[in-house]
Amino acid sequence: MFCRAVHKTWPHTVSKVSEWESDLAEAGELTPEVVDQVLAAHGDRGRRAIDAVSERRVKEYRDFTVVVGHREEYVVEDDSCDCADAEYNLDTDDPDELCWHAIAVRIARAVDAVDHHDMWYSEVREFL
């Protein structure tokens, strides 16, 4: 028998990110349903992330994962990004708040759409 007192003291909440990631892993591709979930969870950030993945702008180097933006390249490590949005606008205590670069990395990895480069980004960055 289910005890309501235990339920009240042990809330089971799943983040929006966990939900779409789970469905994306199950589908293995960006289905319309998963796209809707990403957009519902992240709005314009989700749209920009999906666009970046479809345009193969998520790059994996030996030392970093980089998302190519329209003006700059952004380094993403463990959902941390060096973009201004991540630095100034996101609540770091909320696991659902990610910049579009971090969302793009998660999506690209899940659907095997990362562009792999067998070189060090720190060396490539010198030429940019």
Side-chain angles (χ1 to χ4, degrees), residues 77-98:
E77 289 186 279
D78 299 324
D79 290 335
S80 294
C81 182
D82 62 353
C83 72
D85 189 31
E87 186 173 347
Y88 299 111
N89 299 327
L90 302 179
D91 178 359
T92 56
D93 293 330
D94 185 346
D96 283 339
E97 285 207 16
L98 301 168

Side-chain angles (χ1 to χ4, degrees), residues 1-60:
M1 184 168 161
F2 183 75
C3 177
R4 291 190 190 280
V6 171
H7 178 67
K8 288 180 182 179
T9 61
W10 185 61
H12 179 68
T13 58
V14 177
S15 76
K16 294 176 189 175
V17 173
S18 296
E19 286 182 28
W20 66 253
E21 275 190 313
S22 175
D23 291 346
L24 181 58
E26 186 176 313
E29 63 182 346
L30 272 169
T31 62
E33 293 80 14
V34 173
V35 168
D36 289 345
Q37 286 179 294
V38 172
L39 296 177
H42 304 288
D44 186 54
R45 288 181 181 122
R47 169 61 56 208
R48 293 175 75 182
I50 291 167
D51 290 346
V53 172
S54 68
E55 295 167 5
R56 308 265 318 161
R57 292 189 282 131
V58 178
K59 314 289 183 187
E60 185 91 43

